[in-house]
Short mmCIF file of all heavy atoms in Angstrom, two decimals:
data_model
loop_
_atom_site.label_atom_id
_atom_site.label_comp_id
_atom_site.label_asym_id
_atom_site.label_seq_id
_atom_site.Cartn_x
_atom_site.Cartn_y
_atom_site.Cartn_z
N ILE A 77 3.13 39.60 -17.62
CA ILE A 77 2.21 40.21 -18.59
C ILE A 77 2.10 41.69 -18.28
O ILE A 77 1.94 42.09 -17.12
CB ILE A 77 0.83 39.53 -18.56
CG1 ILE A 77 0.96 38.05 -18.93
CG2 ILE A 77 -0.15 40.24 -19.52
CD1 ILE A 77 -0.33 37.26 -18.89
N GLU A 78 2.20 42.48 -19.35
CA GLU A 78 2.10 43.94 -19.20
C GLU A 78 1.14 44.52 -20.22
O GLU A 78 0.94 43.96 -21.30
CB GLU A 78 3.48 44.60 -19.31
CG GLU A 78 4.14 44.51 -20.67
CD GLU A 78 3.76 45.62 -21.64
OE1 GLU A 78 3.30 46.69 -21.23
OE2 GLU A 78 3.93 45.40 -22.85
N ILE A 79 0.55 45.63 -19.83
CA ILE A 79 -0.27 46.44 -20.74
C ILE A 79 0.17 47.88 -20.56
O ILE A 79 0.17 48.40 -19.43
CB ILE A 79 -1.78 46.34 -20.44
CG1 ILE A 79 -2.30 44.93 -20.72
CG2 ILE A 79 -2.57 47.34 -21.29
CD1 ILE A 79 -3.79 44.76 -20.44
N GLY A 80 0.56 48.51 -21.64
CA GLY A 80 0.96 49.91 -21.58
C GLY A 80 2.10 50.20 -20.64
O GLY A 80 2.17 51.27 -20.03
N GLY A 81 3.00 49.23 -20.47
CA GLY A 81 4.15 49.42 -19.60
C GLY A 81 3.91 49.07 -18.15
O GLY A 81 4.83 49.09 -17.34
N GLU A 82 2.66 48.74 -17.79
CA GLU A 82 2.33 48.37 -16.41
C GLU A 82 2.19 46.87 -16.29
O GLU A 82 1.47 46.24 -17.07
CB GLU A 82 1.03 49.06 -15.97
CG GLU A 82 1.12 50.57 -15.92
CD GLU A 82 2.19 51.07 -14.96
OE1 GLU A 82 2.30 50.53 -13.84
OE2 GLU A 82 2.92 52.01 -15.34
N ILE A 83 2.84 46.30 -15.29
CA ILE A 83 2.77 44.86 -15.06
C ILE A 83 1.43 44.53 -14.42
O ILE A 83 1.05 45.10 -13.40
CB ILE A 83 3.92 44.41 -14.14
CG1 ILE A 83 5.26 44.71 -14.81
CG2 ILE A 83 3.79 42.93 -13.79
CD1 ILE A 83 6.42 44.75 -13.86
N ILE A 84 0.71 43.58 -15.04
CA ILE A 84 -0.58 43.17 -14.48
C ILE A 84 -0.54 41.73 -13.97
O ILE A 84 -1.49 41.30 -13.30
CB ILE A 84 -1.73 43.37 -15.49
CG1 ILE A 84 -1.52 42.56 -16.77
CG2 ILE A 84 -1.93 44.85 -15.79
CD1 ILE A 84 -2.73 42.52 -17.68
N ALA A 85 0.54 40.99 -14.26
CA ALA A 85 0.64 39.62 -13.77
C ALA A 85 2.08 39.14 -13.84
O ALA A 85 2.83 39.52 -14.74
CB ALA A 85 -0.24 38.69 -14.60
N GLN A 86 2.45 38.29 -12.86
CA GLN A 86 3.75 37.63 -12.84
C GLN A 86 3.55 36.24 -12.24
O GLN A 86 2.84 36.12 -11.24
CB GLN A 86 4.73 38.36 -11.93
CG GLN A 86 5.00 39.79 -12.28
CD GLN A 86 6.07 40.37 -11.37
OE1 GLN A 86 7.22 39.97 -11.45
NE2 GLN A 86 5.69 41.30 -10.52
N ALA A 87 4.16 35.24 -12.82
CA ALA A 87 4.01 33.89 -12.27
C ALA A 87 5.18 33.02 -12.71
O ALA A 87 5.93 33.37 -13.62
CB ALA A 87 2.70 33.27 -12.75
N HIS A 88 5.29 31.88 -12.05
CA HIS A 88 6.26 30.86 -12.42
C HIS A 88 5.59 29.50 -12.35
O HIS A 88 4.50 29.37 -11.79
CB HIS A 88 7.51 30.91 -11.54
CG HIS A 88 7.24 30.74 -10.07
ND1 HIS A 88 6.89 29.52 -9.51
CD2 HIS A 88 7.25 31.63 -9.06
CE1 HIS A 88 6.73 29.67 -8.22
NE2 HIS A 88 6.93 30.95 -7.92
N ASN A 89 6.25 28.51 -12.91
CA ASN A 89 5.70 27.16 -12.91
C ASN A 89 5.40 26.69 -11.49
O ASN A 89 6.19 26.94 -10.57
CB ASN A 89 6.68 26.18 -13.55
CG ASN A 89 6.57 26.14 -15.05
OD1 ASN A 89 5.94 26.98 -15.67
ND2 ASN A 89 7.20 25.15 -15.65
N LEU A 90 4.27 26.01 -11.33
CA LEU A 90 3.89 25.39 -10.05
C LEU A 90 3.26 24.02 -10.26
O LEU A 90 2.44 23.59 -9.47
CB LEU A 90 2.93 26.30 -9.28
CG LEU A 90 3.57 27.46 -8.53
CD1 LEU A 90 2.52 28.38 -7.93
CD2 LEU A 90 4.51 26.96 -7.44
N VAL A 91 3.64 23.34 -11.33
CA VAL A 91 3.05 22.05 -11.68
C VAL A 91 3.26 21.03 -10.56
O VAL A 91 2.31 20.37 -10.11
CB VAL A 91 3.64 21.53 -13.01
CG1 VAL A 91 3.19 20.11 -13.29
CG2 VAL A 91 3.25 22.45 -14.15
N GLU A 92 4.49 20.87 -10.11
CA GLU A 92 4.81 19.86 -9.11
C GLU A 92 4.18 20.18 -7.76
O GLU A 92 3.63 19.31 -7.10
CB GLU A 92 6.33 19.71 -8.95
CG GLU A 92 7.05 19.29 -10.21
CD GLU A 92 6.65 17.91 -10.71
OE1 GLU A 92 6.28 17.05 -9.88
OE2 GLU A 92 6.70 17.70 -11.93
N ASN A 93 4.27 21.43 -7.34
CA ASN A 93 3.76 21.82 -6.03
C ASN A 93 2.24 21.78 -5.95
O ASN A 93 1.68 21.50 -4.90
CB ASN A 93 4.27 23.22 -5.67
CG ASN A 93 5.72 23.18 -5.24
OD1 ASN A 93 6.02 22.82 -4.12
ND2 ASN A 93 6.62 23.54 -6.14
N SER A 94 1.58 22.08 -7.05
CA SER A 94 0.12 22.10 -7.04
C SER A 94 -0.48 20.77 -7.47
O SER A 94 -1.66 20.52 -7.24
CB SER A 94 -0.39 23.20 -7.98
OG SER A 94 -0.07 22.87 -9.32
N GLY A 95 0.32 19.92 -8.11
CA GLY A 95 -0.21 18.67 -8.65
C GLY A 95 -1.14 18.92 -9.82
O GLY A 95 -1.96 18.07 -10.17
N ASP A 96 -0.98 20.06 -10.46
CA ASP A 96 -1.86 20.48 -11.56
C ASP A 96 -1.03 20.58 -12.84
O ASP A 96 -0.15 21.43 -12.94
CB ASP A 96 -2.48 21.83 -11.22
CG ASP A 96 -3.38 22.39 -12.30
OD1 ASP A 96 -3.51 21.78 -13.39
OD2 ASP A 96 -3.97 23.46 -12.06
N PRO A 97 -1.32 19.72 -13.83
CA PRO A 97 -0.53 19.77 -15.07
C PRO A 97 -0.70 21.06 -15.86
O PRO A 97 0.10 21.33 -16.76
CB PRO A 97 -1.04 18.56 -15.86
CG PRO A 97 -2.41 18.31 -15.35
CD PRO A 97 -2.38 18.72 -13.90
N THR A 98 -1.70 21.86 -15.53
CA THR A 98 -1.89 23.13 -16.25
C THR A 98 -1.25 24.32 -15.53
O THR A 98 -1.36 25.44 -16.02
CB THR A 98 -3.40 23.43 -16.46
OG1 THR A 98 -4.00 23.72 -15.20
CG2 THR A 98 -4.11 22.28 -17.13
N ALA A 99 -0.59 24.10 -14.42
CA ALA A 99 -0.03 25.21 -13.63
C ALA A 99 1.31 25.69 -14.19
O ALA A 99 2.30 25.82 -13.48
CB ALA A 99 0.10 24.81 -12.16
N HIS A 100 1.31 25.95 -15.49
CA HIS A 100 2.49 26.53 -16.14
C HIS A 100 2.51 28.02 -15.86
O HIS A 100 1.47 28.65 -15.63
CB HIS A 100 2.43 26.29 -17.64
CG HIS A 100 2.65 24.88 -18.05
ND1 HIS A 100 3.00 24.53 -19.34
CD2 HIS A 100 2.58 23.72 -17.36
CE1 HIS A 100 3.13 23.23 -19.42
NE2 HIS A 100 2.87 22.71 -18.23
N ALA A 101 3.69 28.61 -15.92
CA ALA A 101 3.85 30.04 -15.67
C ALA A 101 2.89 30.87 -16.51
O ALA A 101 2.24 31.81 -16.01
CB ALA A 101 5.29 30.45 -15.95
N GLU A 102 2.77 30.52 -17.80
CA GLU A 102 1.93 31.30 -18.71
C GLU A 102 0.45 31.24 -18.32
O GLU A 102 -0.24 32.26 -18.32
CB GLU A 102 2.08 30.78 -20.15
CG GLU A 102 3.50 30.84 -20.69
CD GLU A 102 4.28 29.54 -20.52
OE1 GLU A 102 4.12 28.85 -19.49
OE2 GLU A 102 5.06 29.22 -21.43
N ILE A 103 -0.03 30.04 -17.99
CA ILE A 103 -1.44 29.88 -17.62
C ILE A 103 -1.75 30.64 -16.34
O ILE A 103 -2.76 31.34 -16.24
CB ILE A 103 -1.79 28.38 -17.46
CG1 ILE A 103 -1.55 27.62 -18.77
CG2 ILE A 103 -3.21 28.20 -16.95
CD1 ILE A 103 -2.44 28.01 -19.93
N LEU A 104 -0.87 30.52 -15.35
CA LEU A 104 -1.07 31.23 -14.08
C LEU A 104 -1.05 32.75 -14.30
O LEU A 104 -1.87 33.48 -13.73
CB LEU A 104 -0.01 30.82 -13.07
CG LEU A 104 -0.03 29.34 -12.66
CD1 LEU A 104 1.16 29.01 -11.78
CD2 LEU A 104 -1.33 28.98 -11.97
N ALA A 105 -0.13 33.22 -15.14
CA ALA A 105 -0.06 34.65 -15.43
C ALA A 105 -1.30 35.13 -16.19
O ALA A 105 -1.83 36.21 -15.91
CB ALA A 105 1.21 34.98 -16.21
N LEU A 106 -1.78 34.34 -17.16
CA LEU A 106 -2.99 34.72 -17.89
C LEU A 106 -4.18 34.83 -16.95
O LEU A 106 -4.99 35.77 -17.06
CB LEU A 106 -3.28 33.71 -19.00
CG LEU A 106 -2.33 33.75 -20.21
CD1 LEU A 106 -2.53 32.51 -21.08
CD2 LEU A 106 -2.52 35.02 -21.02
N THR A 107 -4.30 33.90 -16.02
CA THR A 107 -5.40 33.93 -15.05
C THR A 107 -5.30 35.17 -14.17
O THR A 107 -6.31 35.86 -13.94
CB THR A 107 -5.40 32.65 -14.20
OG1 THR A 107 -5.54 31.52 -15.07
CG2 THR A 107 -6.53 32.65 -13.19
N GLN A 108 -4.10 35.47 -13.68
CA GLN A 108 -3.90 36.68 -12.86
C GLN A 108 -4.25 37.93 -13.65
O GLN A 108 -4.89 38.85 -13.12
CB GLN A 108 -2.44 36.78 -12.43
CG GLN A 108 -2.01 35.86 -11.33
CD GLN A 108 -0.53 36.05 -11.02
OE1 GLN A 108 0.07 37.09 -11.32
NE2 GLN A 108 0.07 35.05 -10.42
N ALA A 109 -3.80 37.99 -14.90
CA ALA A 109 -4.03 39.17 -15.72
C ALA A 109 -5.51 39.39 -15.97
O ALA A 109 -6.01 40.52 -15.89
CB ALA A 109 -3.28 39.04 -17.05
N ALA A 110 -6.24 38.31 -16.26
CA ALA A 110 -7.69 38.43 -16.49
C ALA A 110 -8.38 38.96 -15.24
O ALA A 110 -9.27 39.82 -15.33
CB ALA A 110 -8.26 37.08 -16.91
N LYS A 111 -7.97 38.47 -14.08
CA LYS A 111 -8.55 38.96 -12.82
C LYS A 111 -8.19 40.43 -12.59
O LYS A 111 -9.01 41.21 -12.12
CB LYS A 111 -8.08 38.11 -11.65
CG LYS A 111 -8.74 36.74 -11.61
CD LYS A 111 -8.25 35.92 -10.44
CE LYS A 111 -8.88 34.54 -10.47
NZ LYS A 111 -8.34 33.66 -9.43
N ALA A 112 -6.95 40.79 -12.91
CA ALA A 112 -6.48 42.16 -12.68
C ALA A 112 -7.26 43.19 -13.48
O ALA A 112 -7.56 44.27 -12.99
CB ALA A 112 -4.99 42.27 -13.00
#
Side-chain angles (χ1 to χ4, degrees):
I77 299 178
E78 66 87 21
I79 294 180
E82 296 300 317
I83 299 161
I84 60 170
Q86 302 185 68
H88 58 73
N89 275 13
L90 280 174
V91 172
E92 300 297 330
N93 285 281
S94 67
D96 178 357
T98 69
H100 289 198
E102 301 95 323
I103 300 295
L104 297 173
L106 288 167
T107 301
Q108 284 179 21
K111 286 180 182 174

